[in-house]
Amino acid sequence: MTTRVVTGCRLKAVLVDLSSTIHVEDYAIPGAIQAIQRIIKMENYRWPKIMFIGMLQLNCEFKDLRLKDSSLDVKFVTNTTKESKNRLHERIHRLGFNIQKNEIFTSLTAARNLVDEQKLRPMLLLEDEALEDFEGISQENLNSVVVGLAPGCFNYEKLNVAFRLLMQGHPLIAVHKARYYKRPDGLALGPGGFVSGLEFATGTTATVVGKPQEAFFLSALKTVNCKPCEAVMIGDDLTDDVEGANKIGMKSILVKTAVH
């Protein structure tokens, strides 16, 4: 296979997906720490656009993760929408990862930023554990709909309320449109099908704020002050992680830990 490299840029930052890349819910993926450490230490490596690797099956202590010890900036980016950033950070910390809360950038953060910018009062189709990230947003006189991964909200009554709001011309915001995700018991239906159903029923096109949207990656890179050609994305999803990053000029690594 022929690979192409991006020239003229030195690697300065690494964006790392969380769910299904280094952990699956409350289980850390074996070998994730060593694999990530080995990649990040290759500071002068000229990265191909896509590298297919597998997580190394090595014995490791998850408390030994020290991504910040290298000269590379690291940002952990995720489409996880079932819980707030605080809850997600607590989960990752319990697994033993030495990751600070300000190093995590989520699609819920991107959605909250959009809601604030447009001064929206959305119906929040989100799990209770995620609502913390929308604290202070008025729930009166609703004028939009925000949809995340919310199994507890995906019933006819709530979806019909959302349908009626959208039929009044209010905007639909999808935190992301993943078709499925991985759980310890196997693949599970993501929010994408429900977002598409609302789009079909109302003739509305959702604004998607999570991966693989260009704005999501650019916002994450802005927090580490680097250009797309100076960063590499590590993730398990060919569309959301690899193709999304490549479209804005980032390098990428696909880890075969989840849907592959």
Side-chain angles (χ1 to χ4, degrees):
M1 180 179 69
T2 301
T3 59
R4 181 167 63 92
V5 299
V6 177
T7 60
C9 290
R10 180 181 179 182
L11 185 65
K12 293 172 57 177
V14 179
L15 304 188
V16 184
D17 179 44
L18 289 175
S19 180
S20 299
T21 296
I22 67 172
H23 79 104
V24 176
E25 296 191 351
D26 288 324
Y27 298 90
I29 291 177
I33 293 176
Q34 269 78 356
I36 293 173
Q37 286 177 322
R38 288 184 61 186
I39 292 167
I40 291 178
K41 289 179 180 178
M42 298 178 184
E43 297 182 31
N44 297 318
Y45 186 74
R46 296 171 67 87
W47 296 87
K49 288 288 281 185
I50 301 178
M51 288 181 61
F52 290 93
I53 68 172
M55 281 299 185
L56 302 180
Q57 299 300 311
L58 301 174
N59 294 324
C60 60
E61 293 291 336
F62 285 93
K63 64 183 179 181
D64 289 336
L65 181 58
R66 295 290 187 274
L67 294 179
K68 297 183 293 301
D69 291 345
S70 75
S71 62
L72 297 173
D73 288 315
V74 179
K75 182 68 70 169
F76 295 88
V77 296
T78 179
N79 271 349
T80 297
T81 64
K82 289 180 64 178
E83 56 192 353
S84 67
K85 180 190 283 190
N86 280 335
R87 289 175 179 263
L88 175 61
H89 177 251
E90 291 171 359
R91 180 195 296 269
I92 295 298
H93 186 73
R94 286 196 302 270
L95 292 177
F97 288 102
N98 183 24
I99 295 173
Q100 303 303 311
K101 187 168 66 174
N102 63 4
E103 294 171 320
I104 299 174
F105 187 84
T106 76
S107 52
L108 284 175
T109 302
R112 172 62 190 259
N113 291 343
L114 181 61
V115 166
D116 288 340
E117 290 169 6
Q118 297 189 5
K119 296 180 172 57
L120 299 176
R121 301 179 302 278
M123 175 187 184
L124 298 170
L125 289 177
L126 299 170
E127 293 290 85
D128 291 343
E129 292 80 3
L131 294 177
E132 178 183 1
D133 284 352
F134 289 83
E135 187 176 359
I137 297 295
S138 174
Q139 293 292 282
E140 298 181 359
N141 191 23
L142 301 176
N143 65 356
S144 56
V145 177
V146 171
V147 181
L149 178 59
C153 295
F154 293 151
N155 56 66
Y156 183 84
E157 288 73 19
K158 290 189 176 182
L159 289 171
N160 201 45
V161 173
F163 164 78
R164 290 176 176 177
L165 283 169
L166 298 176
M167 289 299 288
Q168 295 172 26
H170 297 311
L172 172 63
I173 298 172
V175 183
H176 63 88
K177 289 185 72 175
R179 294 175 297 164
Y180 48 81
Y181 67 104
K182 189 173 185 180
R183 302 190 313 197
D185 62 346
L187 297 181
L189 187 63
F194 298 96
V195 174
S196 295
L198 288 171
E199 288 178 317
F200 173 77
T202 63
T204 300
T205 299
T207 298
V208 184
V209 297
K211 296 181 294 180
Q213 299 303 305
E214 176 179 330
F216 179 88
F217 289 104
L218 292 176
S219 295
L221 290 175
K222 186 177 180 180
T223 67
V224 291
N225 192 31
C226 79
K227 298 179 290 187
C229 68
E230 299 171 327
V232 60
M233 175 69 206
I234 302 174
D236 69 292
D237 191 292
L238 185 60
T239 300
D240 288 353
D241 297 323
V242 172
E243 293 179 0
N246 290 167
K247 284 180 180 178
I248 67 164
M250 289 179 62
K251 284 75 73 177
S252 58
I253 294 173
L254 178 70
V255 293
K256 299 188 283 186
T257 54
V259 299
H260 308 284

